[in-house]
Amino acid sequence: MIFALSSGLPPAGVAVLRLSGPGVFAVARQLTGKQRLPPARTARLRTLYRLQDHQPIDRALVLLFPGPASFTGEDVVELHTHGSPAVVAAVQQELLALGVRPAEAGEFTRRAFQNGRIDLTQAEALADLLAAETEAQRAQALANAGGRLRQQAEAWREAILALRAEAEADLDFADESDVTVAALVGPIRRLAASIEAALAGAPMAERVRSGLVIAVTGPPNAGKSSLVNALAARDVAIVTALPGTTRDVLEVHLDLGGVPAMLLDTAGLRESADPVEQEGIRRARARAAAADLVLNLGEGEGLRVVNKIDETGEAPGIRGGVAYVSALTGAGLDSLRAHLVAWARAQVPRGEPALVTTARQAHLLTEAVGFLAEAAAQTESLLRAESLRLAAASLGRLTGAIGSEDVLGAIFSRFCIGK
Ligand code: GDP
């Protein structure tokens, strides 16, 4: 039996303590002074008692979720107590005394996976949902948390295994093999094409997860840090009048109309004898080169930004593909921001959220497509059956039907304690 504080850190209005494992209903009965337990999935107010002296700890809502139709697949209890550190500590003490141990990070979700309630793609989507900072991230994560990719992957895997069975059956009827060999190529290619179609959305989905990258470049003292700060509307980068003090690349997270973006404040792009500065410059150049958009306060590529218009007297706004702003007074920043929001939204296609969202998923599906291509190209039934087996195995690893401890560890370590 495990327990965790599944709500935020106390003090809070309410604290949710979640218990899972065989025996948690008996624990709930002990804690509530052997009162009648509430019916399944129905909240009831109960007094929780200290076992030793039968003194009340708190009045709490008690909820029971009988397995296997619970989140973890086991019997689950939720105790909604008042969210004070003292109440939480007192209840935790009783739980420990009753043999319930603190859960590790992600342990509830891991049990859900082990009991077949969710697959690995759903676990990944759940981790993304918990980490979602913007609307696009939330929508994308929620779509896959429901098991869309799992269902699709299981359907692909079954279809591949059926083809493999045909290829193997063919071994027993060597005479007819020419006919069968040719007959299998079409279905194999169609399967590969269907997986490739799903893969097409993967790069953009990965962008939604990690954020679009906007690099702010320009010579020292152009106002890069000031612009990053003004756009982020909070003081993150160090603003100073001395050139070359922004030694590293600083990141600021922006929510551009629901689309996540990372604003990179690059080091002053100039030659320098200082090795630390040289490294900063090298990194800045590399990241700016890989950015989705460059806000350029100097000459060269990207969206040109003319800063310090409070000094030159130019009018704020965007004209002829150039943004005129003052990071100091804020003039022109609304137009620049609106431009960035429109640009970010245009990068993320509307409609159905992507099916394939993580690098792990994309890698395994690409691998499966490769094995299917091999299978289609084989003329020997034995070799074809083997390629199909490998393609099915890639899909098995995608859902976790075939698993390795390393992969599980990497996925479940993303969760916090209590999930
Ligand atoms: P960076 O080296 O490109 O990051 O430039 P900073 O953001 O550190 O700014 C360099 C100097 O220019 C600082 O003294 C800022 O206060 C000043 N500065 C930045 N933006 C503006 C602006 O829009 N107007 C004026 N007048 N000064 C600015």
Side-chain angles (χ1 to χ4, degrees), residues 219-226 239-241 246 307-308 310-311 326-328:
N221 266 330
K224 297 183 294 298
S225 305
S226 306
V239 183
T240 162
T246 316
N307 189 31
K308 308 194 185 182
D310 55 301
E311 286 180 346
S326 166
L328 193 70

Side-chain angles (χ1 to χ4, degrees), residues 207 211-215 264 283-294:
R207 288 293 169 72
L212 297 164
V213 179
I214 303 172
L264 301 182
R283 277 202 237 170
R285 290 217 164 107
R287 298 205 69 179
D292 299 295
L293 180 71
V294 173

Side-chain angles (χ1 to χ4, degrees), residues 67-142:
S70 67
F71 175 66
T72 58
E74 305 171 326
D75 285 351
V76 169
V77 172
E78 278 184 18
L79 306 170
H80 299 204
T81 67
H82 290 101
S84 76
V87 168
V88 171
V91 176
Q92 284 182 343
Q93 204 178 338
E94 298 311 308
L95 291 173
L96 289 171
L98 287 164
V100 193
R101 71 164 170 83
E104 286 161 27
E107 197 169 0
F108 288 91
T109 315
R110 195 173 180 132
R111 288 188 175 197
F113 167 70
Q114 274 157 355
N115 292 322
R117 299 291 295 160
I118 59 169
D119 80 332
L120 280 191
T121 67
Q122 288 172 285
E124 286 173 312
L126 267 176
D128 283 348
L129 188 57
L130 294 181
E133 286 180 344
T134 74
E135 193 50 25
Q137 290 175 321
R138 182 199 60 72
Q140 178 167 297
L142 184 70

Side-chain angles (χ1 to χ4, degrees), residues 216-229 237-246 265-268 297 306-312 325-331:
V216 182
T217 64
N221 266 330
K224 297 183 294 298
S225 305
S226 306
L227 182 65
V228 167
N229 281 340
I238 316 148
V239 183
T240 162
L242 294 172
T245 46
T246 316
D265 177 10
T266 63
L297 278 76
V306 172
N307 189 31
K308 308 194 185 182
I309 59 168
D310 55 301
E311 286 180 346
T312 60
V325 302
S326 166
L328 193 70
T329 67

Side-chain angles (χ1 to χ4, degrees), residues 15 17 19 27-35 37-38 44-51 53-63 77-82 87-88 90-92 94-95 98:
L17 286 137
L19 289 61
V27 167
R29 241 177 93 68
Q30 291 278 324
L31 268 179
T32 53
K34 310 216 167 107
Q35 296 166 67
L37 286 173
R44 287 280 190 278
L45 198 59
R46 292 282 187 271
T47 302
L48 305 183
Y49 295 96
R50 207 151 53 199
L51 302 170
D53 52 12
H54 209 69
Q55 289 301 305
I57 297 172
D58 191 15
R59 300 268 287 161
L61 282 181
V62 176
L63 275 146
V77 172
E78 278 184 18
L79 306 170
H80 299 204
T81 67
H82 290 101
V87 168
V88 171
V91 176
Q92 284 182 343
E94 298 311 308
L95 291 173
L98 287 164

